Amino acid sequence: MPQTIPIVPVILSGGSGTRLWPMSTPGMPKQMLSLTADETMLQLTARRAQGERFTAPIVVANERHADMVEAQLEAVGATAQALILEPVGRNTAPAIALAAIAAGSGAAPLLVMPSDHVIADVAAFHATIHAALPLVEDGWLVTFGIDPHAPETGYGWIRIGEEISGGVHRVAKFVEKPPLDVAEAMLAAGDHAWNGGIFLFARMRISRRWRFTRRASSRHRSVRWMERARRAVAFTPHRMPSRQPRRTRSTMP
């Protein structure tokens, strides 16, 4: 996977508008609001993945926000190559799976980004992506961590393992939304990061893993998916191309 192949941004914009109520509502969730800049959080997410290194984005959103998503992206010159509309949210993994299908069979890596993050230093973010790309070429699934500054119980955490290459480490363990005492211990230890929910991987790599999991599940085997994923995940701390995007309605149960 040469680094000259553009990266496909995948923007997850399926938020339900409950966490910042009453400012954020189901009809106007926080990613559609201008909270930290003149642009909305969705627009900021799209803009940090623009330029010659990136293709037009694939966006996964709630179907009730379709027109709003298109209008906001158009305002910052970021027409989606595909807009996948969910009738109901099914969390991150199904959204990524749908985006991987929409991306087709090409060799371009996918950069999965939630639409409600604040990243002040975009140049540093791009440098981190660049550092991770050689690992993606070698078949790794890369997740991005955030340097923690508080014992946050509302986020997942990552225990940082051995360094693989400059600034990129193995994931030693995923910790899902810990109780306060555990979060305080991880913060004090200094060897954990918040799980940023940003991922970089080759489409075919993730597709093969999902096919394996589906086959194993259909045979009623107990599959330790998170453990299998952990062994292949690296950690780094730091409408189709036309005038109208393709809209795809999700029919996943």
Side-chain angles (χ1 to χ4, degrees), residues 140 160-172 233-237:
W140 291 84
I160 304 170
E162 66 188 79
E163 188 172 36
I164 303 171
S165 65
V168 184
H169 299 251
R170 287 184 181 272
V171 169
V233 176
F235 162 80
T236 179

Side-chain angles (χ1 to χ4, degrees), residues 111-193:
L111 175 65
V112 177
M113 302 177 291
S115 58
D116 58 357
H117 281 188
V118 177
I119 300 178
D121 192 341
V122 175
F125 178 56
H126 288 176
T128 302
I129 294 170
H130 182 76
L133 279 172
L135 276 297
V136 173
E137 182 179 354
D138 288 340
W140 291 84
L141 314 179
V142 179
T143 183
F144 291 61
I146 300 170
D147 189 23
H149 56 76
E152 179 59 57
T153 60
Y155 303 150
W157 291 62
I158 299 169
R159 181 155 64 86
I160 304 170
E162 66 188 79
E163 188 172 36
I164 303 171
S165 65
V168 184
H169 299 251
R170 287 184 181 272
V171 169
K173 184 180 181 180
F174 290 107
V175 181
E176 183 60 27
K177 296 181 180 178
L180 181 59
D181 60 334
V182 174
E184 289 175 337
M186 291 189 294
L187 182 65
D191 59 351
H192 287 74

